[in-house]
């Protein structure tokens, strides 16, 4: 790999969604991220690959893992990194978003990482700027880098993804993580199940080839991977579950419910976790089964791979 990339030609490439991404492209991200896993574990973590490049993290929603890992990823590759946390209360949709994009664009950025509460907002913004744009989560639509790091976590632990039974459980309706993962897992040949009460399931799941279950006891049978999701109350309007206690009783992952899955099934969660709501601490902290902290570690490597690939000179290919 060269020490620095030449300026990207013609049109910037973006990472906006997993939907439509060919399997080979996904695997390319995985393979490159593997090289960064090793770099991140070494004492000297920094390179100068992106020296002189500017990365702005523009977050219109709260974040711990995603924002920190993009910041670390940029810094470890030698880029100048600026975090702009935009208070949710200051968002005035449409013009304000475009104005922000145009303002940042005038500062000659190389990569803009955007999280926004509205589905589609990141794509809208990407159409207005000259730099590469990475979707760090838009509404309940997509969160591509989360799915890439989840996929890499599975591949590293299981050696492959094809043929695995992956049960995605909980608030799938409001989850961009679930949506991106469904596209990624389908593309790589896994068997995806959605396990949730009917109120927390989107209508289009069957069309995506996902097997739907309303009970953990059946949905987890012989699962290789159990991926838990948070109840995303900030995206809910109205009452979607009778009570948190009842939700935990029926859908919270406990050691008992996990017995239905394969004995070597892995437990995943994108974070932040609500212990005692969708997951019991006993399983979340089970060092033999839970890979939740592996996901966090691999998140940095995957984001380094994304920054690397998106800033490489390439012909005008449009969105990845
Ligand atoms: C997820 C998100 O923001 O969509 N978190 C994350 O990026 N790790 C999931 C969530 O908020 O529940």
């Amino acid at each position: 790999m060269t020490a620095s990339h030449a300026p990207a030609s013609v049109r910037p490439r973006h990472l906006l969604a997993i939907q439509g991404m060919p399997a080979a492209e996904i695997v390319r991200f995985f393979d490159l991220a593997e090289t960064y896993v090793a770099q991140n574990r070494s004492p000297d973590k920094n390179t100068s690959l992106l020296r002189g490049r500017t990365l702005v993290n523009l977050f219109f929603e709260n974040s711990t893992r995603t924002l920190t890992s993009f910041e670390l990823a940029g810094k470890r590759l030698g880029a100048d990194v600026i975090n702009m946390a935009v208070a949710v209360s200051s968002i005035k949709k449409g013009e304000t978003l475009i104005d922000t994009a145009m303002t940042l664009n005038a500062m000659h950025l190389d990569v803009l990482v955007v999280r926004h509460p509205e589905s589609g907002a990141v794509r809208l913004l990407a159409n207005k700027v000259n730099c590469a744009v990475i979707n760090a989560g838009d509404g309940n639509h997509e969160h591509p880098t989360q799915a890439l790091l989840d996929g890499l976590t599975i591949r590293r632990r299981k050696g492959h993804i094809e043929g695995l039974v992956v049960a995605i459980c909980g608030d799938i309706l409001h989850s961009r993580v679930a949506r991106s993962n469904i596209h990624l897992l389908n593309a790589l040949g896994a068997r995806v199940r959605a396990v949730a009460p009917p109120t927390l399931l989107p209508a289009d799941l069957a069309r995506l080839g996902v097997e739907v279950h309303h009970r953990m006891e059946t949905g987890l049978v012989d699962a290789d991977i159990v991926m838990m999701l948070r109840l995303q109350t900030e995206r809910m309007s109205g009452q979607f579950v009778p009570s948190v206690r009842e939700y935990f009783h029926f859908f919270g992952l406990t050691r008992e419910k996990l017995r239905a899955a394969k004995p070597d099934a892995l437990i995943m969660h994108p974070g932040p976790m609500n212990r005692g709501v969708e997951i019991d601490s006993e399983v979340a902290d089970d060092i033999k089964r839970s890979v939740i902290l592996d996901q966090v570690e691999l998140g940095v490597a995957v984001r380094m791979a994304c920054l690397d690939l998106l800033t490489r000179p390439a012909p005008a290919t449009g969105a990845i």
Side-chain angles (χ1 to χ4, degrees), residues 63-142:
S63 171
T64 308
R65 278 151 280 265
T66 308
L67 178 59
T68 314
S69 59
F70 267 114
E71 183 177 2
L72 274 178
K75 286 181 172 165
R76 287 184 182 167
L77 293 174
D80 294 319
V81 183
I82 293 163
N83 292 337
M84 288 183 60
V86 188
V88 174
S89 60
S90 75
I91 298 173
K92 292 195 192 76
K93 287 168 230 155
E95 265 198 359
T96 303
L97 180 68
I98 302 301
D99 277 348
T100 310
M102 298 310 282
T103 304
L104 289 169
N105 198 44
M107 297 180 194
H108 300 290
L109 309 184
D110 298 286
V111 186
L112 189 54
V113 178
V114 188
R115 171 170 284 194
H116 197 281
E118 300 291 329
S119 301
V122 182
R123 185 177 293 274
L124 186 74
L125 190 145
N127 290 336
K128 302 284 174 192
V129 295
N130 300 321
C131 62
V133 174
I134 299 178
N135 180 4
D138 64 324
N140 59 10
H141 175 229
E142 282 235 26

Side-chain angles (χ1 to χ4, degrees), residues 61-63 65-66 115 136-137 139 143 146 174-177 229-232 234-235 269-272 303:
E61 264 187 4
N62 292 338
S63 171
R65 278 151 280 265
T66 308
R115 171 170 284 194
H143 191 352
Q146 180 69 44
H174 300 102
S175 178
R176 51 202 178 201
V177 175
L229 298 170
R230 184 175 66 88
L231 278 180
Q232 290 141 91
E234 74 278 18
R235 281 194 265 282
H269 195 306
R303 283 158 185 141

